[in-house]
Amino acid sequence: SQQGEEDPQALSIQEGENATMNCSYKTSINNLQWYRQNSGRGLVHLILIRSNEREKHSGRLRVTLDTSKKSSSLLITASRAADTASYFCATVLQGGSEKLVFGKGMKLTVNP
Amino acid sequence: DGGITQSPKYLFRKEGQNVTLSCEQNLNHDAMYWYRQDPGQGLRLIYYSQIVNDFQKGDIAEGYSVSREKKESFPLTVTSAQKNPTAFYLCASRTGGSSYNEQFFGPGTRLTVL
């Protein structure tokens, strides 16, 4: 079952620009997480935002959460070529679920 | 060096054969997970285990089996009953407890059925 859906599915920008990725989900969540995956590798956790939080920062990353709209956005500022990867949002459903439900992901390409 | 290891990195299987994918972690994590990823797709949960000697089916458990005899190890067997096993398999773990935190992923095993 697919809970999150990233938008856009692919984004190509120049180094130094900001990249914004959006995630929409369907049911109430406990928290929402963003992961990065370089081609052919495992996923790396980027940031977690809980349902009672509205915004969180980590280095060049800024995540917002709007539970009324069931959506989240991930902003990467001053992008670098090394940010080229696939990005996934994943949700933990409300009710103490043990499972993370992933979206299909979006491909970010940062051109040098 | 703490982390999650998966082996082998690449695995080739003939149709009708069972194969076992290894996943080991030295992070002292309670929970472990197996996911399948197909090209251009997100991750789908196969099985997960919250404690030793216990595991639950995920969304696509048919054709797969697991065991959790040790805290550090969570091997996945892809059986001949899995009709389309060619995929990228990812193992993950996380600490236990009521506060749901992040998962740590291994590097993955790419399985190809010949």
Side-chain angles (χ1 to χ4, degrees), chain B residues 12-108:
Chain B
F12 298 91
R13 186 194 98 172
K14 293 182 180 178
E15 280 193 31
Q17 283 182 337
N18 292 355
V19 288
T20 298
L21 282 59
S22 167
C23 177
E24 304 277 332
Q25 54 98 0
N26 61 6
L27 300 167
N28 199 33
H29 285 173
D30 295 305
M32 297 186 74
Y33 304 79
W34 273 106
Y35 295 93
R36 170 183 172 136
Q37 185 178 31
D38 293 284
Q41 300 294 313
L43 278 65
R44 291 185 291 168
L45 182 64
I46 305 172
Y47 268 98
Y48 63 103
S49 168
Q50 295 175 256
I51 55 171
V52 175
N53 291 324
D54 188 42
F55 48 83
Q56 287 78 40
K57 293 182 179 179
D59 300 318
I60 55 164
E62 186 175 349
Y64 300 98
S65 66
V66 293
S67 64
R68 186 87 188 276
E69 296 175 3
K70 298 186 299 181
K71 188 175 185 178
E72 310 79 48
S73 180
F74 192 40
L76 173 74
T77 297
V78 184
T79 74
S80 56
Q82 170 50 236
K83 297 304 176 192
N84 184 21
T86 295
F88 189 50
Y89 290 87
L90 287 159
C91 178
S93 71
R94 73 171 192 92
T95 57
S98 59
S99 178
Y100 201 99
N101 42 22
E102 71 266 28
Q103 292 186 9
F104 293 78
F105 282 81

Side-chain angles (χ1 to χ4, degrees), chain A residues 67-86:
Chain A
T67 53
S68 66
K69 294 182 180 176
K70 291 188 171 57
S71 68
S72 172
S73 67
L74 171 67
L75 169 68
I76 303 175
T77 60
S79 63
R80 306 165 181 167
D83 294 327
T84 294
S86 293

